Amino acid sequence: MPGDFAATLARSTTDPSTKDQVDVLDLQHTWHPFTQMQEYASLPRVHIERGEGCWLIDTEGKRYLDANASVWTNVHGHHNADLDAVLKAQLDKIAHATYLGLGHEPGAQLATKLSKLSGLDRVFYSDNGSNAVEIALKLSFQYFQLTGQSRRRRVIGLSDAYHGDTFGTMAVGDCGIFHERFASWCFETERIPAPTCDELGGEVFDSSMKASLDALDAHFDKFGDEVASVIVEPWIQGAAGMKLQPRGFLREVESRCRQYGAHLILDEVFVGFGRCGPMLVGREEGVRPDFICLAKGLTAGYMPLAATVTTEEIYQAFLGDFGEYKAFFHGHTFTGNPLGCAVALKSIELLEALKQSGQLDLTIKAFEDFFRSLREMLPETFGLSQRGLAGALDLPPGDPDERRGLHLCIALRERGILLRALGDGLLIVPPLVISPSEIEFLKEGLIQTLQDKAFIQ
Ligand SMILES: *Cc1c(COP(=O)(O)O)cnc(C)c1O
């Protein structure tokens, strides 16, 4: 057992007064995602007990602004009265019944709502973003087999893409150290360079997508009738550190997919449900993809629910007598969980009101002003990018092994702010209902912590 971990554990178990019971159990028996546990055990730990609006409250009663919206999921704040009420009402009926061959009202209602929002027709539920993508990939693959085009098996993805951590999604992603260890187990994917642009405070500075589209054209020229799908995170590659995509790119990709008969898969797991303003980004751009993958904000960050939305044409190809074995043999035990569907429906209703009232636009404007003022206050060596309520602050170039981002986040906790770093970048993604005074609190805390840590004067 690594030294730090053993020492911390020994200290915690022999002297429970210094660490509460949760911490002891946590250190003894849990294994956290995307976490070097030796490092985790050696640093101060926070255990969340409650939530209130944009705030999280730990087991010692300390309050923190949830500045990454509990990993990009939270929409209307925690412990939202309307969402809680809907969940409790659903709980009074039933918590879960299988969706394998049985239906329920929240599932039917939500599918109808998602079809209206997307302009597509059919909803296949699952329980996380990776699965939503995995399902789109498998549906696309099987569709071409069922329609006499079994040569179509290739998938084209973007550089720096992130679509999840299951094998299919690792294969189509391009996440360096996250996934390269498993590369030999992954199917081959064609990759084109992701187009980028700079955007700050609502202004777009530079945008180029020619190289990206040229590469796409080259792949289509070479493999035209072998391409099953092109998969894109529209507008923002979140896990790449908030890499922004020029507007108009999706339309160009869509027209090539149509020309060559390939599917377009939009992974809106991060950008969907108001994160950038629009309910759905592809729709905003006038693009009609063959698949849309939804998760994170779908249930306002309340429940693990995901959806893959597709067209009637694709659905029809899977119909036939049972013995033709055209059915899609894929499903998860908790697919279409009624609690998740009920809370998602309510969240979408609240989100529509938030947009219609103009409040979401005002919040985005305040967030843009926040980033614009960071640009004025911070030296040029800091990288900044922002679109909608998604932003990144990159520290000046340095040694990644120093873990500067992580230590900055630990220091931010002292000032009542919870963030998670990605390497030397801080990804700032608040709940959609963050208030101007909370944005101000975030700004002050960030600037003061950068001063405390001697990143700025
Ligand atoms: C988070 C994310 C996923 C994976 O979702 P999980 O629910 O974590 O499996 C997929 N694609 C994008 C764009 C994401 O941001």
Side-chain angles (χ1 to χ4, degrees), residues 47-230:
H47 304 294
I48 300 301
E49 194 173 83
R50 287 180 301 125
E52 255 176 45
C54 296
W55 298 80
L56 294 170
I57 300 149
D58 74 6
T59 40
E60 289 168 342
K62 191 163 165 35
R63 293 167 63 86
Y64 307 89
L65 183 66
D66 185 6
N68 84 345
S70 295
V71 188
W72 315 349
T73 60
N74 194 277
V75 176
H76 303 292
H78 299 280
H79 207 337
N80 175 285
D82 293 324
L83 298 180
D84 289 7
V86 156
L87 264 179
K88 285 173 186 162
Q90 179 58 44
L91 202 50
D92 280 339
K93 295 180 194 161
I94 192 167
H96 184 70
T98 183
Y99 219 57
L100 277 63
L102 295 179
H104 50 66
E105 188 189 346
Q109 297 282 10
L110 180 61
T112 307
K113 185 78 204 176
L114 293 177
S115 299
K116 282 207 183 93
L117 286 177
S118 63
L120 304 187
D121 314 288
R122 290 281 164 181
V123 175
F124 194 103
Y125 292 116
S126 56
D127 48 20
N128 63 69
S130 306
N131 279 337
V133 173
E134 199 82 44
I135 287 161
L137 293 167
K138 284 178 69 176
L139 283 173
S140 173
F141 184 95
Q142 184 168 335
Y143 169 87
F144 286 122
Q145 298 210 334
L146 296 175
T147 55
Q149 304 170 77
S150 48
R151 280 163 60 83
R152 288 196 183 272
R153 303 155 65 122
R154 292 180 190 271
V155 181
I156 301 177
L158 299 186
S159 60
D160 292 323
Y162 177 80
H163 298 290
D165 300 320
T166 54
F167 276 98
T169 58
M170 286 195 292
V172 297
D174 180 33
C175 291
I177 57 165
F178 284 10
H179 298 150
E180 68 197 9
R181 189 177 300 282
F182 301 101
S184 64
W185 276 6
C186 291
F187 63 79
E188 217 179 291
T189 301
E190 317 300 325
R191 202 158 302 288
I192 62 170
T196 57
C197 68
D198 290 328
E199 184 166 330
L200 203 59
E203 258 178 277
V204 183
F205 294 107
D206 167 41
S207 91
S208 89
M209 49 183 167
K210 189 168 181 312
S212 183
L213 292 172
D214 285 351
L216 185 58
D217 287 336
H219 279 300
F220 271 129
D221 279 347
K222 198 161 153 202
F223 305 118
D225 62 353
E226 293 177 18
V227 180
S229 61
V230 178

